[in-house]
């Protein structure tokens, strides 16, 4: 609708540096700073903290005749820039710039959520691995028959029971009523 052929979404990273988050049509470029016009338009938008539009009738580098760079804000700070351009002359109205800004915010939110989802999925996989390892270790260390415990005294009792279960040694179990003597005897 705006006649744009290329776009790039730039966002600040953890080190407060602007970098490419997503792009369309910039296949040969991985760094927007290698494109002087793009870099200038984006730099002016960041510096002035306002949208910049280029309505060039004269072709510029890469035959760009129109461009918009819209800064994206969060809590009064620039957190990214959305840049679009065209090889066709286009005169942008203020509502076009606002439409680009709204679209850019949705894209930035979508990309940010996707990155958070991937990070959360990675963390979940790691936690599952740790959980499985801990369960294995817990099962190996603390389980005897159907009994298991975290209490140090009970862990010690279960370990002793495991040592004697394969031998011919007589075992005397004593303890209060309801302490599990009968369950321990069956396990041994």
């Amino acid at each position: 609708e705006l006649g744009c052929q290329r776009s790039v979404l730039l966002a600040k990273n953890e080190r407060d540096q602007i970098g490419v988050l997503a792009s369309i049509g910039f296949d040969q470029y991985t760094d927007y700073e290698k494109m002087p016009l793009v870099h200038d338009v984006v730099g002016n938008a960041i510096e002035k903290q306002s949208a910049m539009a280029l309505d060039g009738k004269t072709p510029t580098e890469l035959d760009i005749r129109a461009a918009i760079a819209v800064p994206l804000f969060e809590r009064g700070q620039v957190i990214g820039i959305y840049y679009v351009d065209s090889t066709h002359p286009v005169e942008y109205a203020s509502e076009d710039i606002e439409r680009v800004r709204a679209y850019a915010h949705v894209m930035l939110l979508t990309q940010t959520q996707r990155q958070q989802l991937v990070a959360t999925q990675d963390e979940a996989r790691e936690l599952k691995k740790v959980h499985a390892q801990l369960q294995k270790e817990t099962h190996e260390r603390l389980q005897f028959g159907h009994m298991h415990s975290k209490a140090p005294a009970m862990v010690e009792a279960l370990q002793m029971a495991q040592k004697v279960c394969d031998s011919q040694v007589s075992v005397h179990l004593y303890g209060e009523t309801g302490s599990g003597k009968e369950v321990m005897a069956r396990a041994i």
Side-chain angles (χ1 to χ4, degrees), residues 142 144 147-149 154-162 184:
L142 306 179
F144 181 71
M147 301 175 66
H148 58 89
S149 177
M154 191 63 182
V155 169
E156 186 179 346
L158 291 173
Q159 288 171 340
M160 281 194 273
Q162 282 179 321
M184 180 70 84

Side-chain angles (χ1 to χ4, degrees), residues 50-168:
S50 65
M52 301 299 294
L54 170 69
D55 299 344
K57 306 287 188 257
T58 307
T60 60
E61 70 181 69
L62 305 174
D63 201 28
I64 295 171
R65 295 191 183 206
I68 299 176
V70 180
L72 307 173
F73 296 93
E74 183 176 90
R75 296 183 190 101
Q77 298 291 318
V78 174
I79 58 167
I81 295 282
Y82 187 58
Y83 169 90
V84 294
D85 67 23
S86 174
T87 56
H88 306 292
V90 179
E91 291 194 29
Y92 296 113
S94 60
E95 59 266 11
D96 295 330
I97 292 172
E98 288 311 309
R99 192 172 321 130
V100 169
R101 185 187 315 275
Y103 177 70
H105 273 287
V106 170
M107 279 185 51
L108 183 61
L109 181 62
T110 301
Q111 286 292 331
T112 303
Q113 287 176 335
R114 187 182 82 61
Q115 288 175 336
Q116 289 171 344
L117 176 62
V118 168
T120 301
Q121 289 171 334
D122 290 345
E123 289 173 12
R125 278 191 288 278
E126 189 60 33
L127 285 173
K128 283 181 182 179
K129 287 179 188 175
V130 169
H131 182 256
Q133 182 62 32
L134 288 173
Q135 278 186 319
K136 180 181 174 190
E137 289 174 10
T138 299
H139 181 76
E140 290 171 356
R141 290 184 191 164
L142 306 179
Q143 189 164 348
F144 181 71
H146 295 290
M147 301 175 66
H148 58 89
S149 177
K150 293 180 183 175
M154 191 63 182
V155 169
E156 186 179 346
L158 291 173
Q159 288 171 340
M160 281 194 273
Q162 282 179 321
K163 288 179 184 174
V164 299
C165 71
D166 291 330
S167 69
Q168 297 297 319

